[in-house]
Short mmCIF file of all heavy atoms in Angstrom, two decimals:
data_model
loop_
_atom_site.label_atom_id
_atom_site.label_comp_id
_atom_site.label_asym_id
_atom_site.label_seq_id
_atom_site.Cartn_x
_atom_site.Cartn_y
_atom_site.Cartn_z
N GLY A 1 0.82 -1.20 0.00
CA GLY A 1 0.00 0.00 0.00
C GLY A 1 0.86 1.25 0.00
O GLY A 1 2.09 1.18 0.05
N SER A 2 0.21 2.39 -0.08
CA SER A 2 0.99 3.63 -0.03
C SER A 2 0.34 4.56 0.99
O SER A 2 -0.88 4.65 1.08
CB SER A 2 1.02 4.29 -1.38
OG SER A 2 -0.24 4.77 -1.74
N HIS A 3 1.16 5.19 1.76
CA HIS A 3 0.63 6.19 2.68
C HIS A 3 1.52 7.41 2.60
O HIS A 3 2.66 7.34 2.19
CB HIS A 3 0.48 5.71 4.11
CG HIS A 3 1.21 4.43 4.48
ND1 HIS A 3 1.41 4.07 5.79
CD2 HIS A 3 1.75 3.44 3.76
CE1 HIS A 3 2.04 2.91 5.82
NE2 HIS A 3 2.26 2.51 4.62
N MET A 4 0.97 8.52 3.02
CA MET A 4 1.71 9.78 2.97
C MET A 4 2.25 10.14 4.32
O MET A 4 2.80 11.21 4.52
CB MET A 4 0.80 10.90 2.46
CG MET A 4 0.32 10.65 1.05
SD MET A 4 1.67 10.56 -0.12
CE MET A 4 2.11 12.31 -0.23
N SER A 5 2.06 9.30 5.31
CA SER A 5 2.62 9.56 6.63
C SER A 5 2.99 8.23 7.25
O SER A 5 2.54 7.17 6.81
CB SER A 5 1.62 10.30 7.51
OG SER A 5 0.51 9.47 7.80
N CYS A 6 3.81 8.29 8.28
CA CYS A 6 4.23 7.09 8.98
C CYS A 6 3.95 7.25 10.46
O CYS A 6 4.16 8.33 11.02
CB CYS A 6 5.74 6.87 8.78
SG CYS A 6 6.28 6.67 7.08
N ASP A 7 3.48 6.20 11.07
CA ASP A 7 3.34 6.18 12.52
C ASP A 7 4.69 5.89 13.14
O ASP A 7 5.60 5.40 12.47
CB ASP A 7 2.36 5.08 12.95
CG ASP A 7 0.95 5.40 12.55
OD1 ASP A 7 0.56 6.58 12.60
OD2 ASP A 7 0.22 4.45 12.20
N ILE A 8 4.79 6.18 14.42
CA ILE A 8 6.03 5.85 15.11
C ILE A 8 6.23 4.33 15.01
O ILE A 8 5.30 3.57 15.22
CB ILE A 8 5.99 6.38 16.56
CG1 ILE A 8 7.38 6.34 17.18
CG2 ILE A 8 4.99 5.66 17.41
CD1 ILE A 8 7.89 7.71 17.57
N PRO A 9 7.42 3.92 14.63
CA PRO A 9 7.65 2.48 14.45
C PRO A 9 7.92 1.77 15.77
O PRO A 9 8.08 2.40 16.81
CB PRO A 9 8.87 2.44 13.54
CG PRO A 9 9.63 3.65 13.92
CD PRO A 9 8.60 4.69 14.28
N VAL A 10 7.96 0.47 15.70
CA VAL A 10 8.32 -0.33 16.87
C VAL A 10 9.84 -0.36 16.98
O VAL A 10 10.53 -0.69 16.01
CB VAL A 10 7.78 -1.76 16.74
CG1 VAL A 10 8.25 -2.64 17.90
CG2 VAL A 10 6.26 -1.74 16.69
N PHE A 11 10.34 0.00 18.14
CA PHE A 11 11.78 -0.01 18.36
C PHE A 11 12.17 -1.32 19.04
O PHE A 11 11.50 -1.75 19.97
CB PHE A 11 12.19 1.15 19.27
CG PHE A 11 11.98 2.48 18.63
CD1 PHE A 11 10.77 3.12 18.76
CD2 PHE A 11 12.99 3.06 17.90
CE1 PHE A 11 10.57 4.35 18.15
CE2 PHE A 11 12.79 4.29 17.28
CZ PHE A 11 11.59 4.94 17.42
N MET A 12 13.23 -1.90 18.57
CA MET A 12 13.75 -3.09 19.24
C MET A 12 15.16 -2.81 19.71
O MET A 12 16.07 -2.63 18.89
CB MET A 12 13.71 -4.29 18.29
CG MET A 12 12.28 -4.80 18.10
SD MET A 12 12.22 -6.35 17.19
CE MET A 12 13.18 -7.39 18.24
N ASN A 13 15.33 -2.75 21.02
CA ASN A 13 16.63 -2.49 21.63
C ASN A 13 17.18 -1.13 21.20
O ASN A 13 18.38 -0.94 21.10
CB ASN A 13 17.63 -3.59 21.28
CG ASN A 13 17.12 -4.96 21.64
OD1 ASN A 13 16.61 -5.16 22.73
ND2 ASN A 13 17.22 -5.90 20.73
N ALA A 14 16.28 -0.20 20.97
CA ALA A 14 16.68 1.12 20.52
C ALA A 14 15.72 2.16 21.05
O ALA A 14 14.64 1.84 21.55
CB ALA A 14 16.71 1.17 18.99
N ARG A 15 16.13 3.41 20.98
CA ARG A 15 15.29 4.51 21.42
C ARG A 15 15.50 5.66 20.46
O ARG A 15 16.49 5.75 19.73
CB ARG A 15 15.66 4.92 22.85
CG ARG A 15 17.11 5.40 22.95
CD ARG A 15 17.49 5.80 24.36
NE ARG A 15 18.95 5.96 24.43
CZ ARG A 15 19.80 5.02 24.81
NH1 ARG A 15 19.33 3.84 25.21
NH2 ARG A 15 21.09 5.22 24.80
N THR A 16 14.58 6.60 20.51
CA THR A 16 14.71 7.80 19.71
C THR A 16 14.53 9.01 20.60
O THR A 16 13.90 8.93 21.65
CB THR A 16 13.68 7.85 18.57
OG1 THR A 16 13.85 9.05 17.85
CG2 THR A 16 12.26 7.79 19.11
N LYS A 17 15.09 10.12 20.17
CA LYS A 17 14.89 11.37 20.91
C LYS A 17 13.81 12.22 20.25
O LYS A 17 13.45 13.27 20.76
CB LYS A 17 16.21 12.13 20.99
CG LYS A 17 17.16 11.45 21.95
CD LYS A 17 18.53 12.12 21.98
CE LYS A 17 19.43 11.40 22.99
NZ LYS A 17 20.85 11.55 22.65
N ASN A 18 13.30 11.76 19.11
CA ASN A 18 12.21 12.51 18.48
C ASN A 18 10.97 12.43 19.37
O ASN A 18 10.66 11.36 19.89
CB ASN A 18 11.87 11.90 17.12
CG ASN A 18 12.98 12.07 16.09
OD1 ASN A 18 14.04 11.48 16.25
ND2 ASN A 18 12.72 12.84 15.08
N ASP A 19 10.27 13.54 19.50
CA ASP A 19 9.04 13.56 20.30
C ASP A 19 7.80 13.31 19.47
O ASP A 19 6.72 13.13 20.00
CB ASP A 19 8.89 14.90 21.01
CG ASP A 19 9.89 15.04 22.16
OD1 ASP A 19 10.26 14.01 22.76
OD2 ASP A 19 10.27 16.17 22.45
N PHE A 20 7.96 13.34 18.16
CA PHE A 20 6.79 13.23 17.28
C PHE A 20 6.16 11.84 17.40
O PHE A 20 6.83 10.87 17.65
CB PHE A 20 7.19 13.47 15.83
CG PHE A 20 8.02 14.68 15.64
CD1 PHE A 20 9.37 14.59 15.32
CD2 PHE A 20 7.46 15.95 15.80
CE1 PHE A 20 10.14 15.72 15.14
CE2 PHE A 20 8.23 17.09 15.64
CZ PHE A 20 9.58 16.98 15.31
N THR A 21 4.85 11.78 17.17
CA THR A 21 4.18 10.49 17.16
C THR A 21 3.78 10.08 15.74
O THR A 21 3.36 8.96 15.52
CB THR A 21 2.93 10.51 18.04
OG1 THR A 21 2.09 11.58 17.63
CG2 THR A 21 3.31 10.69 19.50
N TRP A 22 3.91 11.00 14.79
CA TRP A 22 3.72 10.62 13.39
C TRP A 22 4.63 11.48 12.55
O TRP A 22 5.08 12.54 12.98
CB TRP A 22 2.27 10.71 12.96
CG TRP A 22 1.74 12.10 12.90
CD1 TRP A 22 1.21 12.81 13.93
CD2 TRP A 22 1.68 12.96 11.75
NE1 TRP A 22 0.84 14.06 13.51
CE2 TRP A 22 1.11 14.17 12.18
CE3 TRP A 22 2.05 12.81 10.41
CZ2 TRP A 22 0.91 15.25 11.31
CZ3 TRP A 22 1.85 13.89 9.55
CH2 TRP A 22 1.29 15.08 10.00
N PHE A 23 4.88 11.01 11.35
CA PHE A 23 5.87 11.64 10.49
C PHE A 23 5.32 11.80 9.09
O PHE A 23 4.58 10.94 8.61
CB PHE A 23 7.13 10.77 10.44
CG PHE A 23 7.79 10.63 11.79
CD1 PHE A 23 7.30 9.73 12.72
CD2 PHE A 23 8.86 11.43 12.13
CE1 PHE A 23 7.89 9.60 13.97
CE2 PHE A 23 9.46 11.32 13.37
CZ PHE A 23 8.97 10.41 14.30
N LYS A 24 5.69 12.90 8.46
CA LYS A 24 5.28 13.13 7.08
C LYS A 24 6.23 12.42 6.14
O LYS A 24 7.33 12.03 6.52
CB LYS A 24 5.34 14.62 6.73
CG LYS A 24 4.55 15.53 7.61
CD LYS A 24 4.48 16.93 7.02
CE LYS A 24 5.85 17.59 6.81
NZ LYS A 24 6.66 17.74 8.01
N LEU A 25 5.81 12.34 4.89
CA LEU A 25 6.67 11.81 3.85
C LEU A 25 8.02 12.52 3.88
O LEU A 25 8.07 13.76 3.98
CB LEU A 25 6.00 12.04 2.49
CG LEU A 25 6.69 11.44 1.27
CD1 LEU A 25 6.72 9.92 1.35
CD2 LEU A 25 5.98 11.89 0.01
N ASN A 26 9.07 11.74 3.83
CA ASN A 26 10.46 12.24 3.79
C ASN A 26 10.97 12.72 5.15
O ASN A 26 12.10 13.18 5.21
CB ASN A 26 10.66 13.34 2.75
CG ASN A 26 10.51 12.82 1.34
OD1 ASN A 26 10.49 11.61 1.11
ND2 ASN A 26 10.40 13.72 0.39
N ASP A 27 10.18 12.63 6.17
CA ASP A 27 10.71 12.96 7.48
C ASP A 27 11.71 11.89 7.90
O ASP A 27 11.56 10.72 7.55
CB ASP A 27 9.58 13.02 8.53
CG ASP A 27 8.89 14.37 8.57
OD1 ASP A 27 9.35 15.30 7.87
OD2 ASP A 27 7.90 14.49 9.31
N THR A 28 12.68 12.31 8.67
CA THR A 28 13.72 11.39 9.15
C THR A 28 13.55 11.16 10.65
O THR A 28 13.25 12.09 11.39
CB THR A 28 15.11 12.00 8.87
OG1 THR A 28 15.26 12.16 7.47
CG2 THR A 28 16.21 11.08 9.39
N LEU A 29 13.74 9.95 11.06
CA LEU A 29 13.73 9.61 12.47
C LEU A 29 15.10 9.05 12.83
O LEU A 29 15.57 8.09 12.22
CB LEU A 29 12.63 8.58 12.75
CG LEU A 29 12.40 8.13 14.20
CD1 LEU A 29 10.98 7.63 14.34
CD2 LEU A 29 13.37 7.04 14.62
N ASP A 30 15.74 9.69 13.79
CA ASP A 30 17.04 9.21 14.26
C ASP A 30 16.85 8.33 15.47
O ASP A 30 16.04 8.62 16.34
CB ASP A 30 17.93 10.40 14.64
CG ASP A 30 18.23 11.27 13.44
OD1 ASP A 30 18.61 10.73 12.39
OD2 ASP A 30 18.08 12.51 13.56
N TYR A 31 17.62 7.26 15.55
CA TYR A 31 17.51 6.39 16.71
C TYR A 31 18.91 6.01 17.19
O TYR A 31 19.88 6.13 16.44
CB TYR A 31 16.71 5.13 16.41
CG TYR A 31 17.31 4.18 15.40
CD1 TYR A 31 18.12 3.13 15.81
CD2 TYR A 31 17.05 4.33 14.04
CE1 TYR A 31 18.67 2.25 14.89
CE2 TYR A 31 17.60 3.46 13.12
CZ TYR A 31 18.41 2.42 13.54
OH TYR A 31 18.96 1.56 12.63
N GLU A 32 18.97 5.58 18.43
CA GLU A 32 20.24 5.06 18.92
C GLU A 32 19.98 3.78 19.70
O GLU A 32 18.95 3.61 20.34
CB GLU A 32 21.00 6.10 19.75
CG GLU A 32 20.48 6.38 21.11
CD GLU A 32 21.22 7.58 21.74
OE1 GLU A 32 22.39 7.81 21.42
OE2 GLU A 32 20.59 8.27 22.57
N CYS A 33 20.94 2.88 19.59
CA CYS A 33 20.80 1.57 20.21
C CYS A 33 21.05 1.66 21.70
O CYS A 33 21.83 2.49 22.16
CB CYS A 33 21.80 0.61 19.60
SG CYS A 33 21.55 0.35 17.83
N HIS A 34 20.39 0.80 22.44
CA HIS A 34 20.69 0.67 23.86
C HIS A 34 22.13 0.19 24.03
O HIS A 34 22.72 -0.38 23.10
CB HIS A 34 19.72 -0.32 24.51
CG HIS A 34 18.32 0.19 24.58
ND1 HIS A 34 17.23 -0.64 24.73
CD2 HIS A 34 17.81 1.45 24.51
CE1 HIS A 34 16.12 0.08 24.75
NE2 HIS A 34 16.45 1.36 24.62
N ASP A 35 22.67 0.40 25.23
CA ASP A 35 24.04 -0.03 25.49
C ASP A 35 24.22 -1.52 25.19
O ASP A 35 23.39 -2.34 25.60
CB ASP A 35 24.40 0.23 26.96
CG ASP A 35 24.53 1.71 27.25
OD1 ASP A 35 24.62 2.51 26.29
OD2 ASP A 35 24.54 2.08 28.43
N GLY A 36 25.29 -1.85 24.49
CA GLY A 36 25.58 -3.24 24.19
C GLY A 36 24.91 -3.76 22.91
O GLY A 36 25.03 -4.93 22.59
N TYR A 37 24.22 -2.87 22.22
CA TYR A 37 23.52 -3.27 21.00
C TYR A 37 24.01 -2.43 19.83
O TYR A 37 24.47 -1.30 20.02
CB TYR A 37 22.01 -3.09 21.17
CG TYR A 37 21.40 -4.05 22.17
CD1 TYR A 37 21.44 -3.75 23.53
CD2 TYR A 37 20.82 -5.23 21.76
CE1 TYR A 37 20.90 -4.63 24.46
CE2 TYR A 37 20.26 -6.11 22.68
CZ TYR A 37 20.30 -5.80 24.02
OH TYR A 37 19.77 -6.67 24.92
N GLU A 38 23.87 -2.96 18.64
CA GLU A 38 24.24 -2.20 17.45
C GLU A 38 23.30 -2.55 16.31
O GLU A 38 22.69 -3.62 16.30
CB GLU A 38 25.69 -2.47 17.07
CG GLU A 38 25.96 -3.93 16.70
CD GLU A 38 27.43 -4.23 16.49
OE1 GLU A 38 28.28 -3.48 17.00
OE2 GLU A 38 27.71 -5.23 15.82
N SER A 39 23.22 -1.65 15.35
CA SER A 39 22.35 -1.87 14.20
C SER A 39 22.99 -2.89 13.26
O SER A 39 24.14 -3.29 13.45
CB SER A 39 22.12 -0.57 13.47
OG SER A 39 23.30 -0.18 12.79
N ASN A 40 22.28 -3.27 12.23
CA ASN A 40 22.81 -4.26 11.30
C ASN A 40 23.97 -3.72 10.48
O ASN A 40 24.64 -4.46 9.77
CB ASN A 40 21.71 -4.83 10.39
CG ASN A 40 21.00 -3.76 9.60
OD1 ASN A 40 21.39 -2.60 9.62
ND2 ASN A 40 19.93 -4.15 8.92
N THR A 41 24.24 -2.41 10.57
CA THR A 41 25.40 -1.86 9.90
C THR A 41 26.58 -1.74 10.87
O THR A 41 27.61 -1.21 10.50
CB THR A 41 25.10 -0.48 9.30
OG1 THR A 41 24.74 0.43 10.36
CG2 THR A 41 23.96 -0.54 8.30
N GLY A 42 26.40 -2.20 12.11
CA GLY A 42 27.48 -2.14 13.07
C GLY A 42 27.61 -0.79 13.76
O GLY A 42 28.58 -0.54 14.46
N SER A 43 26.62 0.06 13.58
CA SER A 43 26.65 1.38 14.19
C SER A 43 25.72 1.41 15.39
O SER A 43 24.80 0.61 15.48
CB SER A 43 26.20 2.42 13.15
OG SER A 43 26.03 3.67 13.74
N THR A 44 25.95 2.33 16.31
CA THR A 44 25.07 2.43 17.47
C THR A 44 23.96 3.44 17.23
O THR A 44 23.09 3.61 18.07
CB THR A 44 25.84 2.83 18.73
OG1 THR A 44 26.53 4.05 18.48
CG2 THR A 44 26.85 1.75 19.11
N THR A 45 24.02 4.15 16.11
CA THR A 45 22.95 5.07 15.76
C THR A 45 22.54 4.83 14.32
O THR A 45 23.27 4.23 13.54
CB THR A 45 23.40 6.54 15.89
OG1 THR A 45 24.46 6.77 14.98
CG2 THR A 45 23.82 6.87 17.30
N GLY A 46 21.37 5.30 13.99
CA GLY A 46 20.92 5.17 12.63
C GLY A 46 19.77 6.12 12.38
O GLY A 46 19.29 6.78 13.31
N SER A 47 19.33 6.21 11.15
CA SER A 47 18.16 7.02 10.85
C SER A 47 17.36 6.33 9.76
O SER A 47 17.90 5.60 8.92
CB SER A 47 18.57 8.43 10.42
OG SER A 47 19.33 8.41 9.25
N ILE A 48 16.07 6.53 9.82
CA ILE A 48 15.17 5.94 8.85
C ILE A 48 14.33 7.06 8.27
O ILE A 48 14.14 8.11 8.90
CB ILE A 48 14.28 4.84 9.48
CG1 ILE A 48 13.46 5.39 10.65
CG2 ILE A 48 15.14 3.66 9.94
CD1 ILE A 48 12.51 4.36 11.26
N VAL A 49 13.83 6.86 7.07
CA VAL A 49 13.09 7.88 6.36
C VAL A 49 11.68 7.37 6.05
O VAL A 49 11.51 6.22 5.66
CB VAL A 49 13.81 8.25 5.04
CG1 VAL A 49 13.04 9.33 4.28
CG2 VAL A 49 15.24 8.71 5.32
N CYS A 50 10.72 8.24 6.25
CA CYS A 50 9.33 7.90 5.93
C CYS A 50 9.13 8.03 4.43
O CYS A 50 9.27 9.11 3.88
CB CYS A 50 8.40 8.85 6.68
SG CYS A 50 6.66 8.59 6.31
N GLY A 51 8.83 6.91 3.78
CA GLY A 51 8.63 6.91 2.34
C GLY A 51 7.20 6.59 1.98
O GLY A 51 6.34 6.43 2.85
N TYR A 52 6.91 6.47 0.68
CA TYR A 52 5.55 6.19 0.22
C TYR A 52 5.03 4.86 0.76
O TYR A 52 3.85 4.68 0.97
CB TYR A 52 5.52 6.14 -1.30
CG TYR A 52 5.51 7.50 -1.94
CD1 TYR A 52 6.64 7.99 -2.61
CD2 TYR A 52 4.38 8.30 -1.89
CE1 TYR A 52 6.63 9.24 -3.20
CE2 TYR A 52 4.35 9.55 -2.46
CZ TYR A 52 5.49 10.02 -3.13
OH TYR A 52 5.47 11.26 -3.70
N ASN A 53 5.93 3.92 0.97
CA ASN A 53 5.51 2.60 1.46
C ASN A 53 5.90 2.37 2.91
O ASN A 53 6.17 1.25 3.32
CB ASN A 53 6.11 1.51 0.57
CG ASN A 53 5.57 1.60 -0.84
OD1 ASN A 53 4.35 1.61 -1.04
ND2 ASN A 53 6.45 1.71 -1.81
N GLY A 54 5.98 3.44 3.67
CA GLY A 54 6.34 3.32 5.07
C GLY A 54 7.81 3.59 5.29
O GLY A 54 8.49 4.17 4.44
N TRP A 55 8.29 3.16 6.42
CA TRP A 55 9.67 3.44 6.78
C TRP A 55 10.66 2.73 5.88
O TRP A 55 10.41 1.60 5.46
CB TRP A 55 9.91 3.05 8.25
CG TRP A 55 9.16 3.91 9.20
CD1 TRP A 55 8.06 3.58 9.93
CD2 TRP A 55 9.47 5.27 9.53
NE1 TRP A 55 7.67 4.67 10.68
CE2 TRP A 55 8.51 5.70 10.45
CE3 TRP A 55 10.47 6.16 9.11
CZ2 TRP A 55 8.51 7.00 10.98
CZ3 TRP A 55 10.48 7.45 9.64
CH2 TRP A 55 9.52 7.85 10.56
N SER A 56 11.76 3.41 5.64
CA SER A 56 12.82 2.84 4.79
C SER A 56 13.43 1.60 5.43
O SER A 56 13.98 0.74 4.74
CB SER A 56 13.90 3.88 4.54
OG SER A 56 14.47 4.32 5.77
N ASP A 57 13.39 1.56 6.74
CA ASP A 57 14.03 0.49 7.49
C ASP A 57 13.37 0.46 8.85
O ASP A 57 12.51 1.30 9.14
CB ASP A 57 15.53 0.79 7.63
CG ASP A 57 16.36 -0.47 7.76
OD1 ASP A 57 15.79 -1.55 8.07
OD2 ASP A 57 17.59 -0.37 7.59
N LEU A 58 13.74 -0.47 9.69
CA LEU A 58 13.19 -0.53 11.03
C LEU A 58 14.29 -0.23 12.05
O LEU A 58 15.43 -0.64 11.84
CB LEU A 58 12.59 -1.91 11.31
CG LEU A 58 11.34 -2.23 10.51
CD1 LEU A 58 10.93 -3.68 10.73
CD2 LEU A 58 10.19 -1.31 10.90
N PRO A 59 13.94 0.47 13.13
CA PRO A 59 14.94 0.80 14.14
C PRO A 59 15.18 -0.40 15.07
O PRO A 59 14.66 -0.46 16.17
CB PRO A 59 14.32 1.98 14.88
CG PRO A 59 12.85 1.81 14.71
CD PRO A 59 12.66 1.09 13.39
N ILE A 60 15.94 -1.32 14.55
CA ILE A 60 16.21 -2.56 15.29
C ILE A 60 17.70 -2.65 15.56
O ILE A 60 18.52 -2.46 14.67
CB ILE A 60 15.74 -3.79 14.47
CG1 ILE A 60 14.21 -3.73 14.31
CG2 ILE A 60 16.16 -5.09 15.17
CD1 ILE A 60 13.66 -4.85 13.46
N CYS A 61 18.02 -2.96 16.80
CA CYS A 61 19.43 -3.16 17.17
C CYS A 61 19.60 -4.56 17.73
O CYS A 61 18.67 -5.13 18.30
CB CYS A 61 19.85 -2.14 18.21
SG CYS A 61 19.79 -0.44 17.58
N TYR A 62 20.78 -5.08 17.51
CA TYR A 62 21.09 -6.47 17.89
C TYR A 62 22.18 -6.47 18.94
O TYR A 62 23.01 -5.57 18.96
CB TYR A 62 21.57 -7.24 16.66
CG TYR A 62 20.60 -7.18 15.51
CD1 TYR A 62 20.69 -6.16 14.57
CD2 TYR A 62 19.57 -8.12 15.40
CE1 TYR A 62 19.77 -6.09 13.52
CE2 TYR A 62 18.67 -8.06 14.36
CZ TYR A 62 18.77 -7.04 13.44
OH TYR A 62 17.86 -6.96 12.41
N GLU A 63 22.18 -7.54 19.74
CA GLU A 63 23.22 -7.69 20.74
C GLU A 63 24.57 -7.77 20.03
O GLU A 63 24.69 -8.42 19.01
CB GLU A 63 22.98 -8.98 21.54
CG GLU A 63 23.36 -8.87 22.98
CD GLU A 63 22.80 -10.02 23.80
OE1 GLU A 63 21.91 -10.73 23.31
OE2 GLU A 63 23.25 -10.19 24.93
N ARG A 64 25.55 -7.06 20.56
CA ARG A 64 26.87 -7.10 19.93
C ARG A 64 27.46 -8.50 19.99
O ARG A 64 27.40 -9.11 21.03
CB ARG A 64 27.85 -6.17 20.67
CG ARG A 64 27.64 -4.73 20.40
CD ARG A 64 28.69 -3.96 21.14
NE ARG A 64 28.30 -2.58 21.36
CZ ARG A 64 28.72 -1.57 20.57
NH1 ARG A 64 29.52 -1.81 19.59
NH2 ARG A 64 28.32 -0.35 20.81
C1 LIG B 101 10.18 13.16 -0.97
O1 LIG B 101 11.39 12.76 -1.55
C2 LIG B 101 11.27 12.36 -2.89
C3 LIG B 101 12.61 11.80 -3.32
O2 LIG B 101 13.64 12.68 -3.04
C4 LIG B 101 10.81 13.55 -3.73
O3 LIG B 101 10.68 13.16 -5.08
C5 LIG B 101 9.48 14.03 -3.20
O4 LIG B 101 9.08 15.19 -3.90
C6 LIG B 101 9.57 14.34 -1.74
N1 LIG B 101 8.23 14.64 -1.23
C7 LIG B 101 8.00 15.58 -0.30
C8 LIG B 101 6.58 15.74 0.14
O5 LIG B 101 8.89 16.27 0.16
#
């Protein structure tokens, strides 16, 4: 489907400092992993973009 906005996603082992509860198309959400966790790119922070089909990625962090 296509939507023009994104709801706040489910965070796994991560948190965000954004206060927004919904995001417009092309809005960016920055997240950071909890201590001891990292994203699939090996970074402790990341950002995702709200696109036509929802978030570009999910804010998920894995145990190091
Ligand atoms: C969102 O980004 C796409 C790709 O850069 C662009 O084509 C589009 O116009 C942008 N839409 C809005 C609402 O900013």
Side-chain angles (χ1 to χ4, degrees):
S2 68
H3 15 165
M4 297 299 286
S5 67
C6 299
D7 291 324
I8 193 118
V10 175
F11 294 89
M12 286 188 59
N13 306 313
R15 61 180 168 266
T16 179
K17 288 175 179 154
N18 293 67
D19 287 331
F20 312 109
T21 54
W22 67 275
F23 297 81
K24 304 190 301 301
L25 185 64
N26 293 346
D27 275 354
T28 298
L29 182 156
D30 296 312
Y31 66 92
E32 74 187 332
C33 298
H34 291 159
D35 290 345
Y37 292 83
E38 62 187 22
S39 72
N40 57 7
T41 62
S43 172
T44 57
T45 62
S47 62
I48 58 177
V49 180
C50 178
Y52 282 108
N53 296 306
W55 292 107
S56 59
D57 207 344
L58 291 173
I60 296 177
C61 297
Y62 305 90
E63 215 166 345
R64 285 182 202 262

